[in-house]
Amino acid sequence: MSQPSTFSLNRPLRVAVVGSGPAGVYAADILTKSAPVASGELTVSIDLYDRYPAPYGLIRYGVAPDHPRIKGIVNALHKVLDRGDIRFFGNVEYGTDLTMEDLRTHYDAVIFATGAIKDADLNIPGIELEGSFGAADFVSWFDGHPDVPREWPLEAREIAVIGNGNVALDVARMLSKHAEDLLVTEIPDNVYQGLKNSPVTDVHVFGRRGPAQVKFTPLELRELSHSRDVDIVLYPEDFEFDAESDRQIQTNNQTKTMVGTLTNWIAEQPEDPAEFTASRRLHLHFLHNPVEVLGEDGKVTGIKFERTELDGTGNAVGTGEFIDYPVQAVYRAVGYFGSALPEVEFDHRRGVIPNDGGRVLDASGAHVPGIYATGWIKRGPVGLIGHTKGDALETVTYLLEDLENLPAASSPSDDAVVELLTGRGVEYTTWEGWLALDAHERALGDAATEIDGVVRERIKVVPREDMVSVSRGALSKTQAGVDAQSRS
């Protein structure tokens, strides 16, 4: 067990980071580059844990595969972990394979960076009908998440996507895009086959407020226009601007860009619907508030909205006018929500770990010594990926301020936690294992290129057992080399 003491030990500061997405990697990287470490005043030993066999979290399992900018973020995270000064342990789940007591025993400080992976609720009648889905679940499916089924029911011709954020546009774009145009990405084969057989013709995206209040970014919006054989359809009656809208357009370049793009699109589109010639259509609706998912025999048959209007402050109020749309599937993209962690206080209303600038708090509001949080589990699922850098800096700054009061680990050696996991039969994966899995996935892409002629950078290995097998194979080879060297 750990014991309270001032941290003045003649050894490295031992830190565990739980979660290897951008938030966790940024926190580990910032700590290694902090002033006390750079000056030699402090040395650190950091272990990065993830419940999945592969690193990168949201970047691998939460972003549409056709985003070109994601490659840049992956490359940056790769460089950090490839330096060799941060150990990666994949396929290790906190609360099952490692407990809080284990972390306290082996580390002086713990940073939770577990993110937010569940869909936020949308409490309207009919949301539980067959054909009603959470966007996060769909994203996990098309990103090859190892813990979701390989099949997805893509049977609807008309689909509603509720939400006006980046995830809503990701879902709409993936549903409306032709599957063969996604072969250049890293989508798994089962995802390609599922999307290829989809009968979809119309995808409708609905937002509660107006065009000036959308939450997606200009890049997300522009990417919609890059889909081949997909018409974008807009509606003049949805283009309402109040005083707050005008203020945002005049003072916020992002809002100005998006409103300009949307108004240009609607000015250029055909007035006669018959003149839309693509085989699929992506409809963007504004000023629609969902009130009920309609169904028959337990299945989705439509969705009812109340028309809204802006109230002068940028918020929307109901008009009392209702409209039904015939759809056979509904995807709610109204936000993500964090998950509670064993032995850590949790705010079930906000879906975050209660904290003060990253210092985790207990039920009484007092800081729990040595326990910290960063990323979405700290502040909620808001902001872009880059925002987690500032978030991590704040958390690490407080951790360093607390050095004198950290509870020192009683068993801090690097080997102790490896022996613990091995003794428990945990099939953990390593950074070397990820490099082997990465090479394996790229080889699958190369092999597919020889068959269909489409350049595929990689094909994701999705069953968890296969990912672990490939990764652990590299670990076994490394250990065999160490054993052979020791015998010689």
Side-chain angles (χ1 to χ4, degrees):
M1 291 291 293
S2 59
Q3 50 192 4
S5 69
T6 57
F7 194 83
S8 56
L9 307 176
N10 294 320
R11 62 167 176 81
L13 173 71
R14 290 280 286 145
V15 179
V17 179
V18 182
S20 71
V25 176
Y26 290 152
D29 185 41
I30 289 171
L31 182 55
T32 64
K33 296 175 179 176
S34 62
V37 176
S39 67
E41 175 188 349
L42 177 71
T43 57
V44 294
S45 173
I46 303 173
D47 289 342
L48 188 66
Y49 290 95
D50 204 287
R51 63 184 298 189
Y52 308 124
Y56 306 145
L58 177 70
I59 296 299
R60 183 172 167 92
Y61 296 123
V63 181
D66 59 347
H67 277 317
R69 75 179 189 277
I70 296 307
K71 291 181 181 180
I73 299 174
V74 168
N75 291 338
L77 300 180
H78 178 97
K79 288 179 180 178
V80 173
L81 296 181
D82 203 43
R83 293 194 313 243
D85 56 348
I86 300 168
R87 288 197 304 184
F88 172 71
F89 290 92
N91 203 41
V92 179
E93 184 164 8
Y94 168 72
T96 302
D97 301 316
L98 280 179
T99 65
M100 178 63 78
E101 182 179 1
D102 296 328
L103 294 177
R104 288 292 204 183
T105 298
H106 298 288
Y107 300 94
D108 308 302
V110 180
I111 302 174
F112 286 102
T114 50
I117 60 173
K118 297 194 306 181
D119 282 291
D121 292 331
L122 179 63
N123 295 315
I124 61 174
I127 199 67
E128 77 290 343
L129 289 169
E130 182 180 340
S132 174
F133 308 102
D137 292 335
F138 182 57
V139 172
S140 292
W141 175 75
F142 67 61
D143 270 333
H145 193 294
D147 296 337
V148 302
R150 302 278 69 85
E151 304 300 321
W152 189 271
L154 291 163
E155 302 162 354
R157 293 177 60 85
E158 300 159 302
I159 300 171
V161 179
I162 304 172
N164 255 182
N166 285 342
V167 175
L169 291 197
D170 275 358
V171 168
R173 195 178 63 257
M174 290 293 290
L175 286 167
S176 60
K177 209 166 188 175
H178 291 275
E180 54 267 32
D181 295 333
L182 289 164
L183 282 176
V184 295
T185 74
E186 58 184 34
I187 62 167
D189 283 336
N190 67 290
V191 175
Y192 167 67
Q193 293 298 331
L195 293 173
K196 181 180 179 181
N197 295 324
S198 169
V200 66
T201 59
D202 292 83
V203 177
H204 299 261
V205 182
F206 295 94
R208 186 173 59 85
R209 297 188 292 170
Q213 286 78 42
V214 295
K215 295 297 184 182
F216 44 77
T217 61
L219 177 61
E220 294 280 349
L221 184 61
R222 286 194 298 268
E223 285 182 355
L224 293 184
S225 64
H226 297 159
S227 294
R228 179 185 60 84
D229 191 34
V230 179
D231 280 328
I232 298 174
V233 184
L234 296 155
Y235 297 86
E237 62 269 25
D238 291 346
F239 279 71
E240 177 182 310
F241 302 95
D242 62 357
E244 176 59 20
S245 299
D246 291 337
R247 188 195 68 80
Q248 290 175 341
I249 293 169
Q250 293 169 10
T251 60
N252 187 300
N253 286 334
Q254 178 165 301
T255 302
K256 181 179 181 179
T257 299
M258 288 190 293
V259 170
T261 299
L262 289 167
T263 53
N264 284 340
W265 285 356
I266 197 168
E268 294 169 358
Q269 77 177 22
E271 293 185 10
D272 184 354
E275 294 183 33
F276 287 103
T277 58
S279 65
R280 295 178 178 180
R281 289 159 295 280
L282 200 163
H283 308 255
L284 298 180
H285 303 268
F286 306 102
L287 302 174
H288 282 68
N289 185 45
V291 295
E292 183 180 2
V293 179
L294 309 174
E296 293 179 5
D297 300 324
K299 296 183 179 181
V300 171
T301 59
I303 184 167
K304 179 185 292 291
F305 289 90
E306 181 180 12
R307 292 283 300 180
T308 62
E309 61 184 5
L310 299 176
D311 65 358
T313 69
N315 292 312
V317 295
T319 64
E321 176 189 351
F322 295 88
I323 183 170
D324 295 350
Y325 291 87
V327 297
Q328 300 81 51
V330 172
Y331 290 76
R332 67 185 186 279
V334 294
Y336 284 90
F337 201 78
S339 301
L341 299 169
E343 300 183 79
V344 182
E345 192 65 24
F346 191 72
D347 184 337
H348 291 274
R349 182 181 62 84
R350 297 178 56 223
V352 299
I353 296 174
N355 69 91
D356 180 10
R359 290 177 170 129
V360 170
L361 307 176
D362 62 18
S364 69
H367 175 218
V368 183
I371 306 298
Y372 302 86
T374 191
W376 280 3
I377 199 65
K378 167 188 173 182
R379 59 183 167 84
V382 293
L384 301 176
I385 292 170
H387 293 160
T388 56
K389 286 186 178 180
D391 209 34
L393 177 60
E394 179 185 53
T395 295
V396 169
T397 298
Y398 280 126
L399 187 159
L400 292 173
E401 286 183 7
D402 297 339
L403 280 179
E404 294 300 315
N405 298 308
L406 293 179
S410 59
S411 182
S413 75
D414 288 352
D415 294 336
V417 71
V418 175
E419 294 171 0
L420 176 69
L421 294 172
T422 302
R424 289 180 178 170
V426 178
E427 292 189 308
Y428 66 88
T429 63
T430 62
W431 179 247
E432 291 73 20
W434 160 246
L435 295 178
L437 179 58
D438 180 45
H440 180 69
E441 292 182 346
R442 291 177 184 276
L444 292 177
D446 290 340
T449 300
E450 295 176 4
I451 297 173
D452 53 37
V454 177
V455 177
R456 302 191 68 180
E457 182 176 339
R458 74 169 70 238
I459 297 176
K460 283 183 178 176
V461 175
V462 287
R464 180 183 283 263
E465 57 271 21
D466 292 349
M467 296 173 65
V468 171
S469 176
V470 174
S471 300
R472 295 279 294 180
L475 181 64
S476 299
K477 290 178 182 178
T478 300
Q479 186 59 50
V482 171
D483 293 342
Q485 187 173 15
S486 63
R487 286 195 297 271
S488 62

